[in-house]
Amino acid sequence: MAELLAPAGNMEALIAAISNGCDAIYLGMQKFGARAYSSNFDFESLKEAISYAHLRNVKIYVTMNTIVFENEIEAMKLQMHQLNEIGVDAIIVADLAAFDYLVNNFADMEAHCSTQMGIDDLDGTLFFKELGANRIVLSREVPIEKVKEIKKIAQIPLEIFVHGALCVSYSGNCLMSGLIGYRSGNRGRCVGSCRKEYEIIDKTTDEALGKNYILSTKDLNTIDYIDDLKEIDSLKIEGRMKEPAYVANVVSRYRRALDYKITEEDKTNLSKTFNRTFTKGYLFHEDKKDITNILRPNNYGYEIGKISNIVKGMYEIKLTRPLNQNDIIRISHNNEDIVLTVVKLYDKEGKLINRANDVGYIKIKEKLSKDDVVYLTKDYLYYKELESSLEKEFKRFNLDIKVNAQPNSKLIIEAEGLGFNFLYEGEDILSEAINNPTTKEQVIKQFSRLNDTIFELNNVIYEECNVFIPAKLLNVARREIVQALYELKLSSKEKRIKTLKAKEKISFTPREPYFTASVTSKEQYDACVSCGIKEIYFDNTVRRNQNDYKEKEGQLLIGGYGGIYHYRKTNPFITDYSLNVVNSDSCYELFKLGAKRVTLSYELNKTQIEDLISSYYEKNDGYPALEMIVYGRAPMMFSKYCPLKKMNQCGSCKTRNYELKDEHGTFPIITHDDCTTTILNGKTLNLLDEVQNIEGVEAFRLNFTVESKEQVIKTINMAMKKLKSKDSQIIFNKETDTRGHFNKEIM
């Protein structure tokens, strides 16, 4: 049966998940985890968590799925060794350097490829299987039929998200938070740019189409499709930032579904903890138009009634579901929310009541109107019920004992539990019974006192031999046997280290710097040719996600791991920015796989680029072949979702241009032939003044997206002049341009 994988942001959430039936837990440490703002674990609390989980046959996976800068590589390696020493079952990684180190150094700690890696096809899955991955966490955009096909052909365990928050962008392919607020989603510090309000502007007419939460996705909920999901190896619940009650609620419902015990009430109960309303997701072919909830970005609750009247200074609520004292409700009035705890609930006569089933009355100062909708955001009694489930044993394990007790001998007990055997020998010599020899029932009574353990007494073999065993001795034996079996279980996890082979050094002969260009139209392509650009990325580009890998000729620019796997034997290739390369070890691995050049991440600053090059030279006695994007509107996010379709503008992208607008500026929307979208930065990355001083990078890329032919030619001419003549004229325009992260370290 599929593994039920639960999130834990702290020890309380971990216990809640295990108490409600999960098979495995994923959690993060203080460093390298993609949820930097959750409580997370230190090594002491993680040791406690591992002991608690492993005793209950629950696995622990640690997230180290951020990009890893050069100055963090040694800390990353040290943390992996420490995690191995305390018995972690797997590490979830996103950085190629972290993946390589994990696979090549540890025999018993599994390597799981994070959804941050953007693996959404068979080729990407086979690629990492070949490199030694133990599991692939597929992108949330992959439909269930494709998941099953990948599983059947690739024959490697797959993990998919089945419940919780969704990113509107492909995970790992969103730069929006970092470029706007210098807090990178690829570093676990996403500020939730997609949860903000934006205005949509039709640039062709300058008409505003409305202001709303156009990028805010609903929460995933696939409980209705559990029969399809059971075929997949691991079902992942999102929620490391969520409270223990949320974890308990969701885990318990999916546990019941997997165990064929789910009811309609169980499904309804999923709405009783945090939700942004639900979607079945791309996994089960949700219409792109319905993947988002543009009305509000946070907890929606669920509708329980409407304001129906004003009676004796009280607002009457006509209820479709019960309302209880201490519930938290949200009332929607004129597109504004009034949120309150129902401290006092009244009947029509103004008498205090604890519960209203059909009609209830509240007194508040705020003005409400008839037909204002009332939502329940926290069901007080249900939360009390959940809290009672936070610390219980979901499953107890059999303890079998064979008691050998004879006069003038020590108490001997053979015990079996958790798959281990332990032979207990008491210290005291037993006496012959004078009046009341110890019976089997008395032995069972003392050994049944296991409520503070994970055991339940199963089979007891005891042959009565006219011996008296004091209850105190049986209690001591019980405690020692339990502790011994615990220790046997916890010490059974292997933690072997592999013997490493020396790596072949790879280096490249430095070349004089030159410009490359990426374009989105034939007009831009022709402009680049006319200006003498030799390497232009247009039809020879293979993006990171949503590819059908058509046959192509010549050198390619490849943005995803599946593309590398598919084309590496037929086409020379350069890797694109979307592989998020920020350290020398990742560069090395890509060169080893055949890359002719590696494009650096947008999220590197000048000092980090210098550190990467210096470190690479030190390890390989030579230079890497690097490319760097120095001009153009950066892609903030790439998404399967189309905001234009949500606004009933489907198809109009062929004749009109659109952009999003907020207090920071505007963000052009680029639509693709397959109805995916890219949202661009409103400001243009412009490092043309810096190229003269950037050493160790051979190719500087000009990235053209919305520019006209004339703008392309003008930009190329300025860039060429800068590079060749060391022109001192300042090109950067602070009104329209940005230097991105070049002079500022991202968090």
Side-chain angles (χ1 to χ4, degrees):
M1 183 176 287
E3 169 190 270
L4 183 57
L5 177 57
N10 53 43
M11 193 65 189
E12 292 76 19
L14 179 139
I15 293 172
I18 295 173
S19 296
N20 283 279
C22 73
D23 301 302
I25 296 277
Y26 69 102
L27 52 83
M29 303 287 288
Q30 305 298 324
K31 286 184 175 180
F32 306 117
R35 286 292 182 273
Y37 299 127
S38 77
S39 300
N40 293 317
F41 289 76
D42 57 24
F43 277 99
E44 288 308 309
S45 59
L46 181 56
K47 283 183 197 175
E48 180 188 353
I50 290 171
S51 296
Y52 188 90
H54 281 181
L55 283 176
R56 293 159 178 81
N57 282 344
V58 172
K59 294 182 177 180
I60 296 288
Y61 309 146
V62 173
T63 57
M64 291 183 66
N65 56 341
T66 62
I67 53 177
V68 183
F69 291 132
E70 195 66 49
N71 64 354
E72 298 174 318
I73 290 290
E74 293 309 311
M76 176 269 291
K77 294 176 180 179
L78 174 62
Q79 182 163 304
M80 285 189 179
H81 281 279
Q82 292 171 325
L83 294 178
N84 186 57
E85 287 169 10
I86 61 176
V88 165
D89 296 286
I91 298 179
I92 305 169
V93 291
D95 193 295
L96 195 56
F99 172 83
D100 176 69
Y101 193 79
L102 176 57
V103 165
N104 289 309
N105 282 273
F106 306 100
D108 303 299
M109 197 161 55
E110 291 188 353
H112 294 184
C113 292
S114 171
T115 188
Q116 289 286 113
M117 283 182 153
I119 305 168
D120 66 343
D121 58 22
L122 177 62
D123 290 88
T125 304
L126 291 172
F127 177 80
F128 278 103
K129 179 184 180 182
E130 182 182 293
L131 294 182
N134 302 99
R135 179 185 292 187
I136 307 297
V137 187
L138 290 174
S139 296
R140 294 172 175 91
E141 291 78 2
V142 184
I144 188 65
E145 296 82 7
K146 192 172 180 182
V147 175
K148 292 179 180 180
E149 179 189 7
I150 293 170
K151 176 176 169 57
K152 182 179 179 181
I153 299 172
Q155 294 292 301
I156 183 174
L158 300 180
E159 179 178 306
I160 57 173
F161 283 88
V162 296
H163 197 96
L166 290 171
C167 292
V168 70
S169 171
Y170 276 88
S171 293
N173 217 357
C174 181
L175 303 173
M176 200 164 192
S177 175
L179 284 169
I180 292 176
Y182 292 96
R183 295 180 182 271
S184 169
N186 291 324
R187 300 278 293 164
R189 291 177 167 84
C190 177
V191 296
S193 302
C194 57
R195 303 295 182 189
K196 291 175 54 182
E197 265 192 314
Y198 294 94
E199 196 168 19
I200 303 177
I201 309 293
D202 181 341
K203 283 294 291 178
T204 313
T205 62
D206 277 334
E207 177 189 359
L209 303 182
K211 188 176 184 181
N212 53 46
Y213 299 96
I214 188 65
L215 299 179
S216 184
T217 53
K218 297 177 181 178
D219 283 355
L220 182 63
N221 180 348
T222 63
I223 198 82
D224 286 329
Y225 302 90
I226 203 71
D227 288 338
D228 261 334
L229 294 169
K230 285 175 181 174
E231 299 178 35
I232 312 306
D233 302 278
S234 182
L235 308 181
K236 188 172 198 169
I237 296 165
E238 185 279 333
R240 280 194 286 144
M241 303 282 285
K242 298 293 197 301
E243 61 184 336
Y246 173 92
V247 174
N249 188 35
V250 179
V251 170
S252 64
R253 303 310 138 189
Y254 278 85
R255 179 76 273 157
R256 291 178 68 82
L258 285 168
D259 293 344
Y260 302 98
K261 298 174 182 176
I262 192 76
T263 65
E264 288 306 311
E265 183 182 2
D266 286 323
K267 295 177 182 179
T268 300
N269 285 341
L270 283 171
S271 298
K272 291 186 176 180
T273 47
F274 187 100
N275 76 87
R276 298 180 177 93
T277 68
F278 290 125
T279 171
K280 59 188 176 182
Y282 298 118
L283 186 62
F284 291 102
H285 309 286
E286 185 71 88
D287 190 316
K288 291 183 181 184
K289 190 175 181 179
D290 296 326
I291 205 82
T292 52
N293 179 348
I294 65 175
L295 298 178
R296 60 184 290 115
N298 44 26
N299 191 17
Y300 201 86
Y302 58 96
E303 185 176 335
I304 61 166
K306 291 182 179 180
I307 300 297
S308 51
N309 207 347
I310 300 176
V311 178
K312 299 177 183 177
M314 301 182 293
Y315 286 109
E316 179 184 84
I317 306 173
K318 187 170 178 57
L319 295 163
T320 55
R321 298 189 189 189
L323 176 64
N324 293 290
Q325 184 184 14
N326 294 320
D327 284 350
I328 298 177
I329 59 174
R330 173 173 67 85
I331 304 171
S332 180
H333 175 71
N334 292 339
N335 295 321
E336 295 287 334
D337 282 341
I338 297 165
V339 179
L340 67 136
T341 301
V342 183
V343 178
K344 293 182 178 180
L345 182 63
Y346 302 90
D347 65 11
K348 191 172 184 178
E349 304 305 318
K351 294 179 181 177
L352 288 171
I353 56 176
N354 295 323
R355 178 184 177 92
N357 290 311
D358 302 313
V359 181
Y361 298 83
I362 58 172
K363 295 178 182 179
I364 61 173
K365 295 177 182 177
E366 290 84 355
K367 295 294 182 184
L368 301 177
S369 302
K370 189 176 180 181
D371 292 328
D372 284 351
V373 180
V374 181
Y375 299 87
L376 185 63
T377 58
K378 187 169 184 178
D379 183 325
Y380 175 75
L381 294 180
Y382 188 66
Y383 263 73
K384 297 293 282 185
E385 182 184 327
L386 287 175
E387 285 164 8
S388 70
S389 78
L390 297 186
E391 293 189 46
K392 65 178 179 17
E393 294 298 338
F394 178 77
K395 175 184 178 184
R396 291 190 182 270
F397 299 87
N398 285 341
L399 175 63
D400 297 321
I401 59 171
K402 181 178 180 182
V403 181
N404 188 337
Q406 298 185 29
N408 304 314
S409 298
K410 293 180 179 180
L411 175 64
I412 305 292
I413 301 176
E414 298 173 48
E416 182 179 351
L418 301 174
F420 297 92
N421 296 298
F422 176 69
L423 182 65
Y424 171 83
E425 182 177 332
E427 294 182 357
D428 298 339
I429 302 296
L430 301 176
S431 301
E432 185 173 357
I434 298 173
N435 295 316
N436 298 307
T438 299
T439 64
K440 183 175 182 178
E441 287 71 25
Q442 289 171 318
V443 171
I444 291 172
K445 178 183 177 182
Q446 298 307 319
F447 262 86
S448 294
R449 295 176 176 176
L450 293 165
N451 283 343
D452 60 345
T453 77
I454 62 170
F455 291 111
E456 62 182 2
L457 192 60
N458 181 42
N459 191 31
V460 177
I461 298 175
Y462 174 63
E463 188 174 331
E464 297 179 13
C465 296
N466 198 37
V467 67
F468 174 69
I469 314 173
K472 179 180 177 181
L473 294 188
L474 289 172
N475 290 337
V476 169
R478 183 189 72 245
R479 287 192 290 268
E480 287 194 24
I481 286 169
V482 166
Q483 190 58 41
L485 289 173
Y486 280 3
E487 290 171 5
L488 285 169
K489 173 69 174 176
L490 294 176
S491 64
S492 66
K493 177 79 168 66
E494 291 198 77
K495 309 161 186 177
R496 295 167 296 168
I497 304 292
K498 293 181 180 179
T499 302
L500 290 182
K501 298 177 183 177
K503 288 187 176 182
E504 175 191 355
K505 294 181 178 180
I506 302 172
S507 63
F508 298 82
T509 304
R511 295 177 59 184
E512 282 294 314
Y514 55 93
F515 284 107
T516 65
S518 53
V519 300
T520 56
S521 69
K522 182 66 164 59
E523 183 183 58
Q524 292 174 343
Y525 178 88
D526 292 338
C528 290
V529 171
S530 71
C531 291
I533 301 290
K534 303 297 183 190
E535 294 188 44
I536 307 168
Y537 309 125
F538 185 27
D539 292 333
N540 58 345
T541 298
V542 182
R543 71 187 183 201
R544 172 170 163 158
N545 296 105
Q546 294 279 92
N547 287 297
D548 55 10
Y549 302 124
K550 294 176 182 176
E551 188 175 331
K552 294 177 180 286
E553 294 182 0
Q555 184 166 275
L556 305 176
L557 177 67
I558 299 180
Y561 293 113
I564 295 175
Y565 183 83
H566 192 86
Y567 292 108
R568 62 182 174 167
K569 294 180 181 177
T570 58
N571 299 77
F573 67 92
I574 295 147
T575 62
D576 206 357
Y577 75 91
S578 50
L579 291 183
N580 296 321
V581 175
V582 296
N583 59 64
S584 60
D585 289 353
S586 292
C587 290
Y588 176 88
E589 293 305 315
L590 292 171
F591 292 138
K592 192 169 73 172
L593 291 163
K596 304 304 178 188
R597 275 198 311 278
V598 170
T599 304
L600 297 175
S601 165
Y602 276 101
E603 297 191 314
L604 284 170
N605 65 26
K606 182 180 180 181
T607 302
Q608 290 167 332
I609 294 170
E610 292 169 352
D611 288 347
L612 183 155
I613 295 168
S614 174
S615 180
Y616 192 93
Y617 187 90
E618 187 179 319
K619 295 172 185 174
N620 291 279
D621 300 327
Y623 291 99
L626 301 177
E627 185 158 334
M628 178 180 171
I629 301 170
V630 295
Y631 182 88
R633 293 177 185 261
M636 306 290 261
M637 61 171 65
F638 174 64
S639 180
K640 192 171 181 177
Y641 166 68
C642 180
L644 302 181
K645 184 174 184 181
K646 183 70 176 183
M647 299 304 293
N648 299 313
Q649 302 295 310
C650 191
S652 61
C653 59
K654 309 249 184 250
T655 56
R656 300 184 178 192
N657 296 318
Y658 296 86
E659 62 187 16
L660 301 180
K661 182 180 180 182
D662 72 356
E663 69 275 17
H664 297 289
T666 58
F667 308 97
I669 301 171
I670 300 293
T671 57
H672 307 291
D673 290 341
D674 59 358
C675 293
T676 55
T677 55
T678 298
I679 295 175
L680 301 176
N681 197 357
K683 287 197 169 186
T684 301
L685 176 70
N686 187 346
L687 298 175
L688 296 180
D689 293 324
E690 313 288 344
V691 294
Q692 306 167 3
N693 304 314
I694 300 173
E695 296 182 356
V697 176
E698 70 174 58
F700 295 116
R701 191 191 309 173
L702 309 173
N703 177 36
F704 298 115
T705 50
V706 296
E707 292 84 356
S708 66
K709 179 178 180 180
E710 291 72 26
Q711 288 173 315
V712 170
I713 293 171
K714 180 181 177 182
T715 301
I716 294 173
N717 287 335
M718 285 193 302
M720 293 284 200
K721 188 177 179 183
K722 271 286 182 186
L723 192 60
K724 290 178 180 178
S725 65
K726 307 293 184 185
D727 183 21
S728 60
Q729 181 182 347
I730 302 298
I731 296 175
F732 185 86
N733 181 342
K734 65 180 181 180
E735 298 300 320
T736 60
D737 299 343
T738 175
R739 292 188 178 89
H741 304 298
F742 190 70
N743 294 319
K744 192 170 182 179
E745 183 173 355
I746 197 168
M747 293 183 68

